[in-house]
Amino acid sequence: MDTLLGITGDGFVILAADAGQLRSIVRLKDDEDKLYPLDTNKILGVVGECGDRTHFAEYIQKNLALYTLRNDEELTTPKAAAYIRSEMARALRESPYQANCLIAGYDAKTGASLYFMDYLASLQKVNFGAQGYASHFTLAIFDRLWRPNMSEPEALGVLEACMAELAKRLIVAMPDFFIKIVDANGIRVLRSHDAFAREKAAVGAGAGAAAAGGSAAAAMDM
């Protein structure tokens, strides 16, 4: 039931992933970050079985760091995507990973790019993408609203429309989402667990104040 969304814009890519960790019918956590930074300008979003997701993401993360140390340079996003695909394909013949990915990055020469890869190691460059059951509800929204050279607020608006649709139509309620952007300035976190906590605290405080106000009004009427 994991959800992973991605969209490209004018010189950037934004990824959003739900913060839940599920097992069977139980939600174990609601602060799981499934967007892994690979280096200064690449993000790997992974969803799937918790063990496979974590193992594959950390394996890729450490091997790309090792490549950078050995060669004193970082792979471009297309080369990193090809390497990730090769590792998924190799594992497919030995011990398959039940993990699906979106690979986002920014390169000085080619700009921002987004790649879609499933657990069968099928890789494709895309303008937008979705992994999980969310794709049944969000791809039509992406197809209708996406256009070339979108600004950051416009791209975030599309993602917000997708998340609102999921909240409305998907039978399983999604927890909060982590949202990250990669552009010429590197990786930035647009929404994190700290933001969730602050928003929940504000909602709780507002509800408490409203309840207190209602109780005071009732006491005065008596």
Side-chain angles (χ1 to χ4, degrees), residues 7 15 44 57 73 80 113 181 185-186 192-193 209:
I7 186 171
L15 293 184
L44 175 63
E73 67 174 357
S113 55
I181 184 173
N185 299 315
S192 67
H193 184 257

Side-chain angles (χ1 to χ4, degrees), residues 5 130-140 166:
L5 308 172
Q131 296 280 18
Y133 287 112
S135 62
H136 296 291
F137 304 97
T138 59
L139 287 179
L166 291 175

Side-chain angles (χ1 to χ4, degrees), residues 7-206:
I7 186 171
T8 60
D10 186 13
F12 65 86
V13 182
I14 301 177
L15 293 184
D18 76 280
Q21 181 175 317
L22 310 178
R23 181 174 179 83
S24 183
I25 61 172
V26 180
R27 177 178 296 142
L28 304 177
K29 295 177 65 180
D30 62 358
D31 60 353
E32 183 77 2
D33 188 356
K34 302 167 187 174
L35 304 177
Y36 297 82
L38 298 180
D39 52 37
T40 57
N41 61 356
K42 283 183 281 296
I43 306 173
L44 175 63
V46 191
V47 294
E49 293 295 328
C50 178
D52 287 354
R53 180 184 74 232
T54 304
H55 184 275
F56 182 71
E58 292 185 352
Y59 173 77
I60 295 298
Q61 196 176 43
K62 306 314 178 190
N63 273 276
L64 288 182
L66 178 62
Y67 177 90
T68 301
L69 289 172
R70 284 178 170 175
N71 298 279
D72 197 29
E73 67 174 357
E74 297 176 350
L75 287 174
T76 63
T77 306
K79 290 180 180 179
Y83 167 72
I84 295 170
R85 181 202 171 278
S86 70
E87 290 300 318
M88 184 69 82
R90 181 185 60 78
L92 191 62
R93 294 160 176 79
E94 300 172 3
S95 179
Y97 291 105
Q98 294 298 314
N100 299 293
C101 308
L102 289 178
I103 306 156
Y106 181 89
D107 302 295
K109 292 184 178 180
T110 58
S113 55
L114 175 65
Y115 290 84
F116 175 101
M117 188 182 76
D118 64 13
Y119 71 102
L120 295 174
S122 298
L123 182 70
Q124 180 63 45
K125 185 177 181 180
V126 295
N127 295 317
F128 52 80
Q131 296 280 18
Y133 287 112
S135 62
H136 296 291
F137 304 97
T138 59
L139 287 179
I141 296 174
F142 279 129
D143 188 56
R144 178 165 53 89
L145 299 181
W146 182 88
R147 59 179 178 76
N149 302 317
M150 297 184 76
S151 66
E152 183 179 324
E154 289 173 333
L156 285 172
V158 175
L159 287 178
E160 290 290 346
C162 291
M163 290 185 280
E165 190 71 8
L166 291 175
K168 179 181 177 181
R169 299 186 62 197
L170 188 60
I171 191 171
V172 176
M174 288 288 105
D176 294 300
F177 281 76
F178 279 90
I179 303 177
K180 298 182 182 180
I181 184 173
V182 57
D183 55 19
N185 299 315
I187 298 171
R188 290 181 285 126
V189 179
L190 301 181
R191 186 172 171 85
S192 67
H193 184 257
D194 292 336
F196 311 155
R198 288 194 298 270
E199 290 173 8
K200 288 176 181 177
V203 171

